[in-house]
Amino acid sequence: MKKIFFLTFIVIAIPSLLIILLDKEIVKKIKFGIYSNKTIKVKRLEKNEIQNVPIEEYVIGVVAGEMPASFDVEALKAQAVASRTYALKHSNVNNKDYDVVDSTTNQVYLDYDDMKKKWQGNYEENLEKVKKAVLETKGEVILYNNDLIDALFFSTSNGYTENSNDVFSGNEPYLRSVDSHWDKAESPVFNSTNKVSKKEFLFNLGLDTNSEINIQNINKTNTGRVKDLTINGKTFESSKIRTAFNLKSTSFTIKIEGENVIFNVNGFGHGVGMSQYGANGMSKEGFSYDKILKHYYKDCEIKKLI
């Protein structure tokens, strides 16, 4: 009886194991579902409605909304794979009736009417270019240990990307600080300046507007972004300063000149994950989209879902 059971196990188990070993895509199909049927539930804020958008059509809309169509196609491909990964990672996990919103809260998504308004006379040309980038990466996602990553991205670094734990609560091993020197030459918003009066500065931070300004204990990350600082005895997170004065990033210096406070800022965005202008700079130097993604998302692999 034991012999019969053992032979039966061999007959059933061995072919199954061989199939899994020979076709690892089966594992991903089991894990992530049938990809071709996937839709993303998008909350359209202006229209105040939820739309079910096929995944690849959604990715077209996000690439159109998040990255200039003038960018090199390899950068657009990198954006497509990152945006597809982000959408799938965030789908069916928030216990709401939608997966993502169509704004920077998640990813900016444009439908075809939005694209026509944005691109006007360049609509057909830009749409064809974006569709090409999405089609040529269809179904491709970024995995770390066979799990979808949180594929964060932003506009422009200060020369380096940031460790996730220095900006957000999570400490993801694939969101590590890397060189992104391309941004300085590529991005029109690498440098920016904000100037406010002393009184406005103090008022926006809820401090006594009649007091002098005393800035101390400026704590920075290894990449030069401000983590927190003390102003007139009160400690502020850098995100609070960025919001209060509409700064493009937390990589800033503060200088007092006469009756004004001047912020000199480097970069645009939170700094974690893929720099979009950095990706374009890499593309111009001949890097393919997969090399771009593996530079910004450490120790990850790109796989195609079926």
Side-chain angles (χ1 to χ4, degrees):
M1 187 68 180
K2 289 182 178 178
K3 186 175 182 180
I4 293 172
F5 175 80
F6 180 73
L7 289 173
T8 303
F9 173 80
I10 294 296
V11 169
I12 294 173
I14 295 300
S16 299
L17 288 171
L18 285 173
I19 289 172
I20 291 174
L21 288 172
L22 291 172
D23 187 0
K24 293 181 180 178
E25 298 301 326
I26 290 176
V27 176
K28 284 187 276 295
K29 180 184 282 189
I30 293 170
K31 192 164 190 176
F32 302 121
I34 305 300
Y35 180 76
S36 59
N37 297 332
K38 181 65 179 176
T39 60
I40 301 296
K41 298 187 289 292
V42 186
K43 185 172 184 179
R44 308 302 310 275
L45 296 178
E46 285 191 11
K47 298 177 181 179
N48 194 29
E49 65 182 28
I50 296 170
Q51 298 176 352
N52 285 310
V53 184
I55 178 63
E56 295 300 326
E57 185 175 320
Y58 172 75
V59 175
I60 290 170
V62 173
V63 175
E66 286 283 2
M67 183 172 272
S70 60
F71 275 21
D72 275 15
V73 70
E74 293 301 307
L76 293 170
K77 288 180 183 179
Q79 181 69 60
V81 178
S83 294
R84 184 182 295 113
T85 305
Y86 181 95
L88 291 173
K89 178 76 172 179
H90 286 258
S91 64
N92 302 320
V93 297
N94 59 11
N95 296 319
K96 297 179 181 178
D97 52 359
Y98 60 88
D99 298 318
V100 293
V101 298
D102 63 357
S103 72
T104 54
T105 299
N106 293 128
Q107 302 185 112
V108 175
Y109 166 78
L110 306 179
D111 61 24
Y112 293 112
D113 287 337
D114 297 327
M115 293 179 213
K116 287 178 182 177
K117 292 176 184 177
K118 178 180 179 179
W119 292 329
Q120 299 182 5
N122 295 319
Y123 171 73
E124 295 291 345
E125 176 186 356
N126 288 348
L127 181 58
E128 181 180 354
K129 187 177 179 182
V130 168
K131 280 187 172 181
K132 172 182 170 66
V134 175
L135 179 63
E136 292 184 1
T137 62
K138 183 177 180 181
E140 293 186 13
V141 294
I142 313 165
L143 303 179
Y144 180 84
N145 286 344
N146 208 36
D147 280 325
L148 292 165
I149 71 166
D150 198 3
L152 300 179
F153 55 88
F154 62 99
S155 168
T156 305
S157 79
N158 67 348
Y160 295 89
T161 67
E162 192 60 90
N163 294 322
S164 60
N165 53 296
D166 283 328
V167 179
F168 304 115
S169 57
N171 187 11
E172 301 296 348
Y174 51 83
L175 294 175
R176 299 293 89 197
S177 176
V178 299
D179 169 73
S180 191
H181 64 271
W182 303 274
D183 303 56
K184 186 173 184 178
E186 285 294 317
S187 177
V189 289
F190 182 80
N191 294 307
S192 59
T193 302
N194 283 39
K195 182 168 72 171
V196 297
S197 68
K198 284 183 176 180
K199 285 191 177 294
E200 183 181 354
F201 178 83
L202 293 166
F203 178 81
N204 284 6
L205 296 178
L207 300 172
D208 181 4
T209 57
N210 292 316
S211 63
E212 291 298 315
I213 297 173
N214 181 22
I215 301 173
Q216 297 177 314
N217 304 324
I218 301 177
N219 296 315
K220 296 185 177 183
T221 67
N222 291 335
T223 67
R225 289 179 176 81
V226 176
K227 295 184 73 172
D228 56 60
L229 70 166
T230 302
I231 303 172
N232 291 6
K234 184 176 180 180
T235 299
F236 295 90
E237 296 290 331
S238 59
S239 56
K240 167 69 175 178
I241 304 296
R242 182 186 177 191
T243 300
F245 301 103
N246 196 29
L247 306 180
K248 285 184 166 57
S249 85
T250 58
S251 180
F252 60 81
T253 61
I254 304 177
K255 182 170 59 175
I256 299 173
E257 287 189 355
E259 293 302 309
N260 296 311
V261 178
I262 299 172
F263 294 92
N264 290 307
V265 186
N266 293 133
F268 190 5
H270 51 64
V272 179
M274 183 180 73
S275 164
Q276 292 170 312
Y277 275 95
N280 199 44
M282 291 185 71
S283 180
K284 287 181 177 180
E285 288 188 6
F287 289 92
S288 59
Y289 74 95
D290 57 320
K291 294 289 195 336
I292 294 170
L293 292 170
K294 288 177 181 179
H295 174 73
Y296 285 109
Y297 305 110
K298 303 305 293 180
D299 301 320
C300 287
E301 58 180 349
I302 299 168
K303 293 293 183 181
K304 187 179 183 72
L305 301 181
I306 55 176

